[in-house]
Amino acid sequence: NAGVMQNPRHLVRRRGQEARLRCSPMKGHSHVYWYRQLPEEGLKFMVYLQKENIIDESGMPKERFSAEFPKEGPSILRIQQVVRGDSAAYFCASSPRGQTYEQYFGPGTRLTVT
Amino acid sequence: AQRVTQPEKLLSVFKGAPVELKCNYSYSGSPELFWYVQYSRQRLQLLLRHISRESIKGFTADLNKGETSFHLKKPFAQEEDSAMYYCALMSNTGKLIFGQGTTLQVKP
């Protein structure tokens, strides 16, 4: 089992561009979580998705950010019109079921906005 | 409010010394607590969770509901323990609430 995969590992975008971050969960995992780590801070929850459904998006900024986890393919975190403050490491985690099950983390995508 | 606090950004000890990484939490229900570790150039991985009451790599953590703490302890630190450690609380929806993290540096 290859573990949770994220790509790209590093992404550079100019202000105003769009960023798309991909997360392929572990085989058999249908629950995906996205977290963001700003410089000098801990990881902050963004969104929790189960196949084709958003379960909890309480940590998502209200504008410019969206996430999906389609029936087929990876989960996508999309940031429109990026700003410098979006520069961070974005981590994805997956679990076979929700709630108390262990979450397995990917290596992260480091987004730099210039 | 649900919150996890790790008061130390950096903890530096000598090899063989005892280690205690502090974690305090704020949660209205019955907490589900975890310690995650990130070694250099590796991904975040689960070290231990309070319900399993296991000892992993010599580390233990006891939930103290009276003091709302979940400190991580090891009696004799090893150089390979040097890493970033995160305490986390799981909410009833399954999301993890992380502390700011503590870098443990074990000197030879």
Side-chain angles (χ1 to χ4, degrees):
Chain A
N1 199 330
V4 178
M5 307 293 286
Q6 287 187 252
N7 67 79
R9 294 292 309 277
H10 300 275
L11 182 61
V12 180
R13 284 287 176 267
R14 293 180 192 273
R15 277 179 296 171
Q17 290 185 319
E18 179 179 286
R20 281 187 181 236
L21 288 63
R22 291 175 192 78
C23 169
S24 297
M26 287 177 70
K27 189 176 179 181
H29 288 195
S30 59
H31 296 252
V32 163
Y33 305 79
W34 286 93
Y35 297 87
R36 177 166 67 171
Q37 185 174 33
L38 294 168
E40 304 297 318
E41 293 187 21
L43 284 79
K44 296 271 197 291
F45 168 79
M46 298 183 76
V47 63
Y48 163 28
L49 309 107
Q50 197 182 350
K51 284 283 186 182
E52 299 184 278
N53 291 306
I54 294 175
I55 308 300
D56 182 350
E57 56 182 346
S58 58
M60 285 281 267
K62 294 284 183 271
E63 296 175 351
R64 301 187 298 107
F65 285 73
S66 62
E68 62 176 9
F69 187 18
K71 192 175 178 184
E72 302 290 338
S75 176
I76 307 283
L77 180 67
R78 183 179 175 213
I79 311 171
Q80 294 178 290
Q81 299 176 304
V82 295
V83 300
R84 289 241 171 93
D86 297 332
S87 295
Y90 292 81
F91 293 93
C92 162
S94 74
S95 73
R97 298 176 193 170
Q99 299 190 312
T100 60
Y101 280 80
E102 179 180 348
Q103 294 178 23
Y104 295 82
F105 280 79
T109 293
R110 187 160 296 279
L111 172 66
T112 302
V113 179
T114 61
Chain B
Q2 301 170 353
R3 189 169 57 244
V4 175
T5 304
Q6 293 179 250
E8 302 139 328
K9 207 166 181 176
L10 172 67
L11 184 64
S12 187
V13 301
F14 284 101
K15 178 182 168 182
V19 169
E20 183 178 52
L21 295 155
K22 290 185 168 44
C23 172
N24 288 91
Y25 67 91
S26 172
Y27 188 66
S28 55
S30 189
E32 178 86 40
L33 287 153
F34 302 79
W35 276 98
Y36 278 83
V37 60
Q38 188 171 28
Y39 299 102
S40 179
R41 286 189 280 278
Q42 293 187 29
R43 61 186 68 192
L44 202 63
Q45 55 187 283
L46 180 67
L47 181 62
L48 54 82
R49 55 192 303 180
H50 91 272
I51 59 167
S52 64
R53 302 186 69 82
E54 288 178 297
S55 172
I56 306 290
K57 299 186 179 183
F59 285 97
T60 58
D62 289 316
L63 177 61
N64 185 324
K65 289 188 179 180
E67 295 182 2
T68 59
S69 69
F70 188 56
H71 303 327
L72 184 68
K73 299 177 185 178
K74 184 169 182 176
F76 308 105
Q78 303 299 317
E79 286 181 71
E80 55 266 29
D81 296 329
S82 295
M84 186 73 156
Y85 290 80
Y86 292 97
C87 182
L89 170 70
M90 183 171 277
S91 76
N92 56 3
T93 61
K95 70 184 182 190
L96 288 169
I97 299 159
F98 285 90
Q100 301 92 320
T102 299
T103 299
L104 175 63
Q105 187 183 74
V106 182
K107 296 178 285 191

